[in-house]
């Protein structure tokens, strides 16, 4: 029983990271109508920014705080310079962001080579509950993810920025006629999604280490989670991330990891075939 609770805790902490990645991916897909295939590389950049801060002699936690802002700013610049040119052709936009991700990944690979680099946990040790011990840092990851989810929901549902985002989603032409700069909204939305991925990368680098292909696993899982959860709402990607993140973390405990990955994708394909609208259908926050 104790081992089961510890395993559930580790599954929950992994699922929390997937939720962060998918939340950013889902917001971009729902609000802008494109899949950002560079989202995994934004996770990689968040981890790399944290590593650079650490090697520069700064506290690890400071690098983690800086990572989402740096990655978000880079996402905004890339949206202005490249991504926005493909909005009229979503397929081309996906290919464009995929190429962008390849470039980012190869740049990081050239900087770190084939190394696996770790940084220490800002908060070490464990929390004891009876005879069980839970990693303090994984507990921090779960708490931060929960706070970010609540803050994101409030940002999109309770602020004037969220109102303009929802208006741009529901009827872009009417929003522009009402004086809303949809281009600025799209830029801010893309930057926000990138920042969430950067935060995810910063949080996981003490757990999974930094390597050039770090973002690939989260990109594939994020894409599948968005499809399972459904596009067009805040709850859809979160629900999809909860399902896919839990399965991806739980199945390797009972079967080989490669078999577990294949089984997750097969189950996702079967589900999407019978419910193409996802777990949560419809638009809205």
């Amino acid at each position: 029983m104790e081992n089961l609770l510890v395993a559930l805790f580790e599954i929950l902490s992994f699922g929390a990271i997937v939720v962060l990645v998918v939340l950013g991916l889902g917001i971009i897909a729902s609000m802008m109508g494109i899949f950002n295939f560079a989202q995994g590389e934004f996770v990689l950049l968040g981890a790399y920014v944290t590593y650079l801060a650490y090697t520069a002699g700064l506290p690890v936690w400071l690098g983690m705080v800086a990572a989402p802002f740096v990655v978000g700013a880079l996402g905004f610049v890339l949206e202005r310079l490249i991504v926005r040119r493909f909005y009229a052709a979503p397929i081309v936009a996906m290919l464009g962001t995929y190429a962008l991700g390849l470039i980012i990944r190869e740049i990081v690979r050239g900087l770190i080579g084939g190394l696996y680099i770790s940084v220490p946990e800002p908060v070490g040790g464990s929390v004891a509950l009876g005879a069980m011990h839970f990693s303090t840092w994984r507990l921090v990851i779960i708490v931060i993810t929960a706070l970010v989810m609540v803050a994101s929901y409030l940002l999109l549902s309770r602020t004037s920025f969220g109102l303009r985002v929802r208006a741009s989603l529901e009827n872009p032409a009417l929003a522009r006629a009402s004086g809303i700069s949809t281009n600025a909204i799209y830029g801010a939305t893309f930057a926000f999604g990138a920042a969430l991925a950067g935060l995810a990368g910063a949080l996981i680098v003490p757990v999974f280490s930094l390597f050039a292909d770090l973002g690939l696993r989260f990109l594939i899982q994020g894409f599948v989670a968005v499809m399972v959860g459904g596009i067009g709402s805040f709850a859809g990607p979160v629900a999809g991330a909860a399902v896919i993140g839990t399965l991806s973390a739980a199945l390797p405990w009972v079967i080989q990891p490669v078999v577990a990955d294949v089984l997750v994708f097969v189950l996702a394909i079967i589900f999407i075939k019978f419910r193409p609208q996802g777990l949560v259908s419809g638009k809205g926050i």
Side-chain angles (χ1 to χ4, degrees), residues 73-99:
L74 178 63
F76 182 80
V77 172
L78 292 175
E79 194 278 338
R80 294 288 84 183
L81 295 179
I82 301 174
V83 180
R84 65 178 302 189
R85 304 177 189 281
F86 304 129
Y87 286 151
I91 299 298
V92 178
M94 287 190 290
L95 294 175
T97 55
Y98 181 74

Side-chain angles (χ1 to χ4, degrees), residues 192-253:
F192 184 63
L196 289 176
L199 176 62
L203 294 175
I204 63 170
V205 67
V207 179
F208 288 93
S209 299
L210 166 64
F211 59 102
D213 294 327
L214 173 66
L216 280 178
R217 179 182 180 88
F218 292 98
L219 172 64
I220 296 171
Q221 289 182 341
F223 178 77
V224 173
V226 170
M227 296 302 297
V228 168
I231 302 172
S233 68
F234 181 89
V238 173
V243 173
I244 298 300
T246 300
L247 287 175
S248 298
L251 289 177
W253 286 77

Side-chain angles (χ1 to χ4, degrees), residues 73-238:
L74 178 63
F76 182 80
V77 172
L78 292 175
E79 194 278 338
R80 294 288 84 183
L81 295 179
I82 301 174
V83 180
R84 65 178 302 189
R85 304 177 189 281
F86 304 129
Y87 286 151
I91 299 298
V92 178
M94 287 190 290
L95 294 175
T97 55
Y98 181 74
L100 189 60
L102 282 176
I103 294 171
I104 294 173
R105 191 188 320 153
E106 291 310 311
I107 289 175
V108 174
R109 192 191 307 277
L111 293 171
I112 67 172
L115 298 176
Y116 281 65
I117 302 169
S118 293
V119 301
E121 297 175 349
V123 183
S126 61
V127 176
L129 183 62
M132 297 176 290
H133 293 267
F134 302 97
S135 164
T136 305
W137 180 240
R138 286 179 180 264
L139 185 61
V140 170
I141 290 176
I142 294 171
V143 172
I144 291 177
T145 299
L147 292 176
V148 169
M149 286 178 59
V150 173
S152 299
Y153 176 79
L154 294 176
L155 175 67
L156 294 174
S157 64
R158 298 287 189 271
T159 67
S160 59
F161 170 76
L163 180 62
R164 292 195 291 272
V165 169
R166 299 200 307 274
S168 300
L169 167 65
E170 293 290 341
N171 194 325
L174 182 59
R176 283 192 290 271
S178 303
I180 296 174
S181 173
T182 53
N183 283 335
I185 291 295
Y186 288 162
T189 302
F190 194 86
F192 184 63
L196 289 176
L199 176 62
L203 294 175
I204 63 170
V205 67
V207 179
F208 288 93
S209 299
L210 166 64
F211 59 102
D213 294 327
L214 173 66
L216 280 178
R217 179 182 180 88
F218 292 98
L219 172 64
I220 296 171
Q221 289 182 341
F223 178 77
V224 173
V226 170
M227 296 302 297
V228 168
I231 302 172
S233 68
F234 181 89
V238 173

